[in-house]
């Protein structure tokens, strides 16, 4: 029995959708771990948020000043800002211009 | 990442690979190996895969991210994590609900692991390729031999206790980093063998043939929903527990969400490629369920070249899949109880495994009890546990708060605000739908009555227990949950 083009197409799509995504996620996350290890060997601290995520964290703190976890959020924000200012290697794609604009909350 | 700073003395995964393998090992179980392939074939093939994939990305991956993130954020087991979110009081009892469901689940899953162990041992002895071997008599002989079943259940729980007693890094991680790749290798070997058999393409056509009209059937979507949610182990407390051993600098969304959801499903696809070419090449019925694995497949191994060796790979792989799931399901209770009591990890392991062993005896004794419990907990217990975990994140902690504080912290990919309504509204609504659907579908049956008992009594037990216990001073923990790691 020969496989139809539709079956072959679905087989190819399935392999790509599952193994492609799983392989991409596995490779990317293991590479990121290696990079983190390398950064932490060079310096004892590392930036904890990407530019988009840190911006969102700042907005959340400003919009929720009375939240019971706002102090923790502020601490995390300031920690990231401090690390970005005091270290030379960053995990996320922070530019010098972006880091110079950051202020603790 | 061994040099990464830690906030507590709690045990942590030694490597990211160990964490990922633990997640996959926990989620890949019997359901992925034999259920996913034939469910796919019976529900429109490629159409079902599209429905499954949609629900996997829409619900399972975001839900797993939430559960892992809660574990890492609190750094605690199920009850401790709930206490961190809801404060002290009866509501912490929702964590007890998750724990009770896990213990119940493991009590009947352990005998199933025992079946796979028995078949793995006999594959190594080349029993299945011996002359005059009768697969049906062999299978029925196992199920109708209570002493043997209880013995296997005892061996399984004993060995799980031994691994868990060694701790997270020396026990669990050391096992899963070898077991999961070995499972994949086993399925690959069987796939290669199966695809080279004459007539194997019919198996491929059965699983991957596209019947588009199935996308318009509600049954296709409900089956895909069940497969996407429950085969990924969402809401069982496993992802929370595994996540609680993550290091500060680890990523949640990529490893804990995307890789886990898609990776464990990839093993289901691999199982389809391994099993169905053999099934069709030898003229077997594809929708035999457990019988397909334990009776039908066994009878074809003597008929295919190198069948004895292929049987070894298949059943050893199958055993590893069920065993690692059982190990991590049990770890949920061990982690939680060792944090909540003054018992050491080893004492906790003995109490938990002993308790599960005792509760599992009826299921080991009678397969009817096992089937009944599987139906009740699969259709009502697990949605209840998922509702508890995702509900607490969505309605008490708040998905936006968890996302900005934990999910996107040290994340490999950025998770945007689209995630919040999925956690707060969509997943809880889906769980309520599943509970209501099966209550309607099974109205008046003993299964439905059992399900209603679980739905009502488990939350009441949890609430009452924690109302009393939380009123007292909590005992300190004797040692970190990870034991001697």
């Amino acid at each position: 029995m020969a496989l139809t083009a539709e079956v072959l197409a679905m087989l190819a799509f399935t392999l790509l959708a599952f193994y492609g995504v799983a392989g991409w996620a596995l490779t990317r996350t293991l590479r990121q771990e290696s990079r983190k290890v390398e950064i932490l060997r060079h310096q004892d601290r590392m930036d904890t948020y990407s530019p988009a995520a840190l911006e969102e964290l700042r907005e959340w703190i400003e919009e929720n000043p009375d939240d019971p976890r706002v102090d923790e959020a502020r601490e995390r924000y300031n920690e990231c800002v401090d690390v970005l200012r005091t270290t030379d290697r960053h995990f996320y794609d922070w530019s010098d211009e972006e880091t110079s604009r950051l202020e603790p909350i | 990442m061994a040099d990464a700073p830690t906030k507590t003395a709690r045990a942590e995964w030694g490597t990211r690979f160990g964490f990922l393998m633990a997640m996959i090992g926990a989620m890949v179980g019997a359901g992925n190996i034999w259920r996913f392939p034939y469910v796919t074939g019976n529900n429109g093939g490629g159409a079902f895969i599209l429905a499954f994939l949609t629900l996997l990305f829409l619900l399972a991956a975001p839900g797993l991210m939430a559960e892992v993130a809660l574990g890492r954020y609190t750094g605690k087991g199920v009850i401790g994590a709930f206490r961190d979110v809801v404060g002290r009081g009866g509501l912490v009892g929702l964590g007890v609900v998750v724990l009770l469901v896990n213990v119940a689940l493991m009590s009947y899953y352990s005998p199933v692991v025992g079946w796979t162990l028995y078949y793995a041992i006999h594959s190594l002895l080349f029993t299945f390729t011996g002359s005059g071997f009768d697969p049906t008599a062999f299978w029925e002989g196992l199920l109708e031999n209570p002493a043997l079943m209880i013995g296997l259940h005892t061996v399984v729980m004993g060995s799980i206790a031994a691994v868990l007693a060694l701790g997270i890094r020396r026990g669990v991680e050391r096992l899963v980093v070898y077991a999961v790749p070995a499972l994949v290798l086993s399925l690959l070997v069987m796939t290669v063998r199966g695809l080279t058999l004459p007539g194997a393409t019919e198996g491929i056509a059965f699983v991957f043939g596209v019947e588009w009209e199935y996308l318009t059937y509600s049954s296709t979507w409900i089956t895909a929903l069940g497969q996407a949610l429950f085969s990924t182990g969402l809401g069982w407390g496993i992802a929370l527990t595994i996540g609680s051993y993550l290091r500060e600098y680890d990523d949640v969304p990529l490893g804990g969400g995307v890789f886990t959801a898609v990776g464990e499903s990839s093993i289901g696809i691999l199982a389809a490629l391994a099993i169905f070419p053999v099934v069709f090449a030898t003229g077997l019925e594809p929708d035999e369920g457990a019988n397909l694995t334990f009776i039908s497949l066994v009878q074809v191994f003597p008929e295919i070249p190198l069948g004895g060796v292929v049987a070894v790979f298949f059943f050893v792989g199958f055993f590893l899949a069920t065993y690692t799931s059982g190990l991590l399901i049990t770890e949920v209770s061990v982690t939680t109880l060792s944090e909540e009591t003054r018992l050491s990890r080893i004492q906790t392991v003995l109490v938990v495994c002993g308790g599960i062993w005792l509760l599992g005896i009826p299921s080991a004794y009678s397969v009817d009890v096992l089937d009944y419990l599987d139906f009740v907990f699969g259709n009502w217990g697990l949605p209840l546990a998922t509702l508890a975990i995702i509900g607490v994140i969505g309605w008490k902690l708040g998905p936006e708060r968890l996302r900005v504080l934990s999910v996107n912290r040290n994340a490999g990919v950025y998770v945007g605000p689209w995630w919040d309504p999925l956690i707060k509204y969509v997943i809880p609504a889906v769980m309520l739908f599943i509970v209501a659907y099966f209550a309607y579908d099974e109205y008046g049956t003993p299964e439905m009555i059992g399900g209603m008992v679980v739905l009502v009594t488990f939350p009441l037990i949890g609430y009452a227990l924690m109302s009393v216990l939380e009123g007292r001073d909590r005992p300190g923990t004797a040692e970190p949950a990870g034991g001697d790691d």
Side-chain angles (χ1 to χ4, degrees), chain B residues 142-484:
Chain B
L142 170 65
L143 297 186
E144 290 165 7
N145 187 340
L148 179 58
M149 287 292 300
I150 291 169
L152 288 165
H153 167 56
T154 307
V155 170
V156 168
M157 286 316 301
S159 65
I160 283 177
V163 175
L164 292 181
L166 287 171
I168 284 294
R169 204 181 282 191
R170 287 195 301 149
V172 178
E173 183 169 353
R174 201 178 279 179
L175 179 82
V176 292
V177 295
Y178 294 109
V180 176
L183 161 66
V184 173
L185 180 70
S186 304
L187 290 174
L188 277 174
V189 169
M190 188 150 166
T191 301
V192 171
R193 188 70 201 95
L195 288 174
T196 53
L197 292 173
T201 51
E202 278 181 57
I204 302 293
F206 172 74
V207 180
F208 297 99
V210 189
E211 295 177 64
W212 296 109
E213 70 271 19
Y214 273 83
L215 283 176
T216 62
Y217 302 159
S218 58
S219 61
T220 306
W221 288 91
I222 289 168
T223 310
L225 185 66
Q227 191 71 30
L229 291 175
F230 300 125
S231 74
T232 50
L234 172 64
W236 302 17
I238 303 173
L240 188 157
T241 305
I242 295 175
S244 75
Y245 292 110
L246 273 176
R247 295 158 300 188
E248 277 290 293
Y249 281 88
D250 272 324
D251 149 90
V252 167
L254 206 52
V258 177
F259 176 72
T260 303
V262 183
E264 70 88 31
S265 306
S266 301
I267 294 182
I269 299 283
L270 189 58
L273 288 168
I275 295 171
F276 282 86
V278 176
V279 167
F280 278 83
T282 50
L284 298 176
E285 288 299 320
D287 56 354
E288 289 276 313
N291 283 353
L292 175 70
T293 310
F294 294 108
I295 299 176
S296 304
L297 268 180
V298 173
Q299 95 195 14
V300 304
F301 288 126
E303 295 172 21
I304 59 175
L306 292 174
V309 179
V310 176
V312 171
F313 276 100
F314 178 72
F315 281 113
V316 170
F318 193 26
F319 166 67
L320 291 174
T322 57
Y323 186 80
T324 50
S325 294
L327 187 74
L328 272 306
I329 292 170
T330 312
E331 176 60 41
V332 174
S333 306
V334 170
T335 291
T336 301
L337 283 187
S338 64
E339 285 174 358
E340 296 295 317
T341 63
R342 289 183 187 277
L343 298 174
S344 70
R345 182 174 172 96
I346 290 177
Q347 288 169 327
T348 313
V349 166
L350 291 175
V351 168
V352 168
C353 292
I356 291 173
W357 175 79
L358 209 58
L359 286 171
I361 287 178
S363 297
Y365 184 79
S366 162
V367 76
D368 292 336
V369 174
L370 191 154
D371 285 343
Y372 178 79
L373 291 176
D374 184 35
F375 197 87
V376 168
F377 284 96
N379 295 325
W380 288 284
L382 290 177
L384 177 67
T386 309
L387 206 51
I389 289 184
I390 299 296
V392 159
I393 294 171
W395 291 86
K396 199 70 187 172
L397 180 59
E400 188 187 13
R401 200 192 266 157
L402 183 66
R403 190 167 55 83
V404 297
L405 285 174
S406 183
V407 173
N408 280 332
R409 192 166 192 243
N410 299 303
V413 290
Y414 168 70
V415 177
W418 56 266
W419 186 78
D420 305 346
L422 289 179
I423 303 302
K424 186 162 186 172
Y425 301 110
V426 180
I427 297 178
V430 165
M431 289 302 148
L432 288 172
F433 168 76
I434 290 173
V435 167
Y437 175 83
F438 282 105
Y440 174 77
D441 202 46
E442 296 291 324
Y443 186 76
T445 63
E447 283 79 6
M448 183 260 190
I449 293 165
M452 292 303 114
V453 169
V454 169
L455 280 180
V456 174
T457 57
F458 277 26
L460 283 178
I461 291 169
Y463 189 84
L465 188 69
M466 295 319 285
S467 293
V468 173
L469 293 177
E470 294 289 281
R472 300 178 186 169
D473 287 337
R474 286 193 59 241
T477 49
E479 62 179 77
D484 46 11

Side-chain angles (χ1 to χ4, degrees), chain A residues 56-92:
Chain A
E56 197 174 37
L57 181 62
R58 187 183 59 75
E59 283 171 12
W60 186 83
I61 292 167
E62 287 170 357
E63 286 166 12
N64 300 277
D66 301 322
D67 191 278
R69 296 187 194 247
V70 75
D71 288 341
E72 185 187 346
R74 202 176 287 121
E75 197 177 297
R76 291 189 171 198
Y77 182 90
N78 290 339
E79 179 204 11
C80 187
V81 171
D82 186 45
V83 170
L84 285 165
R85 285 171 159 188
T86 54
T87 55
D88 58 349
R89 285 194 194 181
H90 302 148
F91 177 69
Y92 295 104

Side-chain angles (χ1 to χ4, degrees), chain A residues 5-60:
Chain A
E6 199 174 51
V7 172
L8 286 172
M10 181 46 73
L11 179 59
F13 168 78
T14 304
L15 294 180
L16 193 68
F18 285 91
Y19 296 101
V21 174
W24 166 79
L26 180 65
T27 310
R28 181 163 172 168
T29 196
L30 291 177
R31 276 189 185 163
Q32 285 179 338
E33 189 202 25
S34 303
R35 197 154 154 247
K36 286 178 180 176
V37 170
E38 193 191 318
I39 291 171
L40 287 168
R41 279 193 186 134
H42 176 75
Q43 58 200 31
D44 63 348
R45 308 166 78 198
M46 193 174 64
D47 48 320
T48 46
Y49 284 94
S50 68
L54 194 69
E55 170 67 13
E56 197 174 37
L57 181 62
R58 187 183 59 75
E59 283 171 12
W60 186 83

